[in-house]
Every structure is written in C-alpha cells, then in structure tokens.
Amino acid sequence: MTNFEKFLDKNSVFKNISVLSPHYIPKILPYREKQIEEIMSYIAPTLKNQKSRNILIYGKTGTGKTCSVKKIMEEFEKIQSNARMHYLNCRVYNSKYRVLQKVMKDYWPELEKAGFGLPFIYEKLLETLKQQRYLIVVLDEIDMVKDLDDLIYTLTRANDESGTGGLSIMGISNKLSFKENLDPRSKSSLNEVEIVFQPYTTEQLQKILEQRVEEGFQHNAVKQSAVNLAAALTAQENGDARYALKLLMRAGEIADEKKKNFVDDSDVEEARKRVETDIIAETINTLPEMHKITLHAIAKLSLNGSKYARLDGMAEGFLMSGEVYEEYERCCRQLRKKPRSLRWYKEYLNDLEMLGLVITTPSSKGIRGQTTLIKLGHEPEIVYKITNTSFFC
Ligand code: ADP
Ligand code: MG
C-alpha cells in the first residue's frame, strides 16, 4: 500500500458529496413549480421584444429564491432573443455605481477600467436600450444596496426614457421588512409584482432531502428516521432548506469519521452544533474587515461581561455602544489598523444587525443619557472563535 492508497480506499457514505453543496442546483425544485411558472410568465414578454414589469421576490433565507431564479435563467438563456438576465449578488454589488458598472461591462468592455463617472455609464445604458435590447437586472439580496432608492430610480428612469428596448428589475430579498425603508416612489416601482416564498414545512423538507440522499449518498446509507429528524429540526428552527442540507452533509461526515456505513439520528443530532457554527462562519467570513473587527470587539466584551452590567435598566447580555467602540479602537490598534470614526462605526453596527449578527436597542433614558445597547445574535464563544481565527491565527 502506498501512502496515498489509505486515502483513496476510504469507505464513505457519500456517493457524490458535491450534491449537498450550496452551489449545486438540482434538476427539479419541488414545491417551487408555481412560483417559477409565475416569474417566467412575467418576464416572458421580453423574449418577444416587449417591456416587462418589475418583480419583487421575497421570503426568508433558504426558501429557494436564489436557486429558483437561477433555474429560470438557465431556461431563459436557452432561447435566442434580444433579452438578457443579469444576476448580481448585492452583497458584492452593493451600490448604484457598482451595479450599473457591472451590468454595463457586459455590453461595453471598456468600462472594465475604473474611473468612468455615473453620467457616462448611464448614457451607455440608454444607448444599450436603444439597440432594442431588453435587460432584466436580477438584484439578489437587494436590501444590501446602500443607495437603493437612487438605484431603483435610475433604472426605472432608464426604462421610461427608452422608446425601444426595456429594463426591468427583479429584486430578491430575505428581509420581509426592507420595503418599509424605501421611499414610497421606489417602493411602488419595485413592487409592481410581488411573489412570496413561504418557508418549507417538515414534509416538504423531507422530500427535498430525499432527493439529495438519492443523488448524493450510497444506496441505503441514510436511515429514513435520520432524514425525518433533519427535516423536523429544520422546520422547527426556521424552515431554511440550506440548514437542512448542511445538517445532512455534516451528519454524513460524522458517520464517515466514525467509520459507520450509514447515517442515523445520532449523527444528525451531533451535526447540529457544527452546522450552527458553519452558518455563522459563512456570514462572518464575507464581512469587510472593519465590520469583522467591530464584531470581534462585541464578542470579546460579551465574554467578559459589560462594565455597566449592574446599572439599572441594563438588560441581560447587552453592552453599551460606547464601551464597544472603545474596544473596537483597541482591537484596531492591536491589528495595526486605523480605527474609523464613530459615524462609520454606527454604520457597521447597522450592517451587522441587518445580517442578524447583532441585536441593538435604544437604552432607557436613565442610562448615561440615551445610548444604544448591543448584544450578539449568537453565542459569544462561537463568534469570538470565528473572528479570532480570521485575525489572529
Ligand atoms: P434563498 O435564496 O431563498 O435563501 P436558496 O435558493 O439559496 O435559498 O436555497 C438554499 C438551498 O436549499 C440551496 O442549496 C438550494 O439548492 C436548496 N433548495 C431550496 N429550495 C429547494 C427545493 N425546492 N428543492 C431542492 N433544493 C432546494
Ligand atoms: Mg438567496
């Protein structure tokens, strides 16, 4: 046996583990046929050189919004036409400028170079539409765009100004409430059609998992009771299919580690802790540096407890905004980074709250004037470990 053979020879419950990855899109998406049909019917006119309406798709995380839209795009691209769908994840393309530049680059490669002003890019957009093109701009996680009102206004105006050609927006959001912060005008333009994705029920999750078990695991390697448990735990948690799939994948890995040739309930139980950590780590790892440092400061203080914990009106587990800022400055210095001003720090807190990583609440009037109280959205140990690894190891 060479040294390599012991790895190759390994028995595994998996047949093809990539089927369990978040990037894998299965051939059929059960329970989303209706939504997919509906969305297709709204955008189909663009394939016949007609304008289409703006669509807003929303529903909690893991309800299949992104994969449904990707599925639709696959079908859309099969048809020869003047229409095109542009998919953008707004965590990356989080401003009007970035969105416009990214979309227009596909038509005008010279825009690849930075430094073109918005008016120039806008002119290019109008020119593109004049060539009788139909653009559907898919803005996934649209709530992450900083100047969203401005972006919606600009895109809508371009559509209105173009005699021929058209541009429609397909916004996707995990946050049901994000519309409330929009200006009424952009709200009504974005919301011409609204499609809601409901969380999956236990039975639906069971079916979704069974489909992956079939494709991803060895024959009979996953006990039915383990699938049922993973589905039930997920439904009870949040109905997030991503969570269910991770649970199943981690359970498979645990079975492999234990050299078992099947996955049962105990492996799913054990997988829970790892999955929680995985999910938090994924969110944290995509954060920009200053956000990470802010979060690290909050985790560190949470572990030690607030200096003001004994003050009247301080709720359990909360920290004061001021002490967090001081800790943030200390962490920055330790990392030899220049701390940003309070204004920026508030911005970071806001973004962290949007992602569910922290919870903030205004303090009661009594506490040192009025301040903001901050608490971690997850266990401090887990968050500390993740942020610490990304900076200090
Ligand atoms: P969202 O965008 O709503 O947060 P995703 O589309 O990213 O959710 O789905 C999360 C995960 O669950 C993905 O891995 C996806 O493949 C899977 N998934 C979601 N809905 C279904 C479904 N109906 N059938 C099979 N897999 C699904
Ligand atoms: Mg998504």
Side-chain angles (χ1 to χ4, degrees), residues 19-33 36 57-70 87 140-141 172-174 197 200 204-205 207-209 211-212 239-246:
V19 167
L20 279 311
S21 108
H23 306 292
Y24 179 81
I25 302 179
K27 280 192 204 68
I28 37 175
L29 298 169
Y31 313 109
R32 290 302 177 232
E33 295 92 346
I36 292 178
I57 299 171
Y58 67 90
K60 288 193 175 162
T61 313
T63 50
K65 301 180 298 299
T66 300
C67 64
S68 297
V69 169
K70 293 247 166 106
Y87 176 90
D140 201 352
E141 312 214 18
I172 308 177
S173 173
N174 297 327
F197 282 52
Y200 294 115
Q204 293 176 335
L205 289 164
K207 279 277 168 311
I208 291 172
L209 290 179
Q211 182 193 36
R212 303 288 174 111
D240 176 348
R242 191 179 293 115
Y243 182 88
L245 289 167
K246 283 204 160 89

Side-chain angles (χ1 to χ4, degrees), residues 18-269:
S18 68
V19 167
L20 279 311
S21 108
H23 306 292
Y24 179 81
I25 302 179
K27 280 192 204 68
I28 37 175
L29 298 169
Y31 313 109
R32 290 302 177 232
E33 295 92 346
K34 222 180 81 221
Q35 286 87 344
I36 292 178
E37 277 272 323
E38 199 182 341
I39 297 169
M40 286 169 80
S41 76
Y42 289 124
I43 61 175
T46 60
L47 296 169
K48 298 184 292 187
N49 290 343
Q50 292 165 9
K51 289 186 197 269
S52 71
R53 292 195 277 176
N54 293 335
I55 305 178
L56 178 61
I57 299 171
Y58 67 90
K60 288 193 175 162
T61 313
T63 50
K65 301 180 298 299
T66 300
C67 64
S68 297
V69 169
K70 293 247 166 106
K71 202 89 209 154
I72 292 167
M73 287 182 69
E74 267 175 35
E75 297 300 313
F76 195 85
E77 278 157 14
K78 285 184 194 158
I79 298 184
Q80 193 76 36
S81 77
N82 287 336
R84 199 159 150 197
M85 291 176 80
H86 296 269
Y87 176 90
L88 290 89
N89 186 321
C90 299
R91 280 198 196 201
V92 183
Y93 301 98
N94 64 357
S95 71
K96 169 174 149 186
Y97 185 84
R98 287 191 181 174
V99 167
L100 287 175
Q101 192 201 24
K102 167 75 179 147
V103 173
M104 282 299 102
K105 251 179 358 200
D106 288 349
Y107 300 91
W108 311 91
E110 66 265 35
L111 293 177
E112 189 70 56
K113 283 184 262 138
F116 290 98
L118 264 172
F120 182 77
I121 300 178
Y122 186 73
E123 278 310 309
K124 289 289 181 201
L125 173 58
L126 292 181
E127 227 174 290
T128 311
L129 296 177
K130 239 190 230 138
Q131 297 166 353
Q132 256 230 347
R133 291 182 202 264
Y134 292 83
L135 277 59
I136 299 168
V137 180
V138 181
L139 300 171
D140 201 352
E141 312 214 18
I142 188 170
D143 40 284
M144 302 301 272
V145 178
K146 307 269 180 203
D147 45 0
L148 185 54
D149 282 319
D150 227 2
L151 173 64
I152 295 173
Y153 174 72
T154 306
L155 295 179
T156 322
R157 199 180 76 192
N159 181 54
D160 294 343
E161 277 183 21
S162 68
T164 55
L167 183 152
S168 52
I169 308 169
M170 185 184 290
I172 308 177
S173 173
N174 297 327
K175 289 260 295 191
L176 313 185
S177 61
F178 96 99
K179 276 190 305 183
E180 262 111 72
N181 300 328
L182 286 177
D183 145 336
R185 201 172 38 173
S186 19
K187 190 162 138 186
S188 67
S189 8
L190 183 60
N191 218 15
E192 285 173 346
V193 177
E194 186 172 285
I195 295 167
V196 184
F197 282 52
Q198 297 294 349
Y200 294 115
T201 63
T202 309
E203 291 72 31
Q204 293 176 335
L205 289 164
Q206 229 162 296
K207 279 277 168 311
I208 291 172
L209 290 179
E210 280 164 13
Q211 182 193 36
R212 303 288 174 111
V213 165
E214 179 92 23
E215 286 181 61
F217 284 85
Q218 303 287 0
H219 188 57
N220 281 341
V222 184
K223 302 265 188 233
Q224 184 63 42
S225 63
V227 172
N228 298 355
L229 179 63
L233 288 174
T234 306
Q236 178 190 328
E237 190 84 15
N238 45 24
D240 176 348
R242 191 179 293 115
Y243 182 88
L245 289 167
K246 283 204 160 89
L247 210 48
L248 195 62
M249 187 176 84
R250 287 299 190 193
E253 287 171 357
I254 290 168
D256 275 357
E257 283 165 22
K258 291 184 178 157
K259 304 208 182 326
K260 289 163 51 174
N261 54 6
F262 58 86
V263 177
D264 64 14
D265 301 27
S266 68
D267 304 311
V268 174
E269 277 295 346

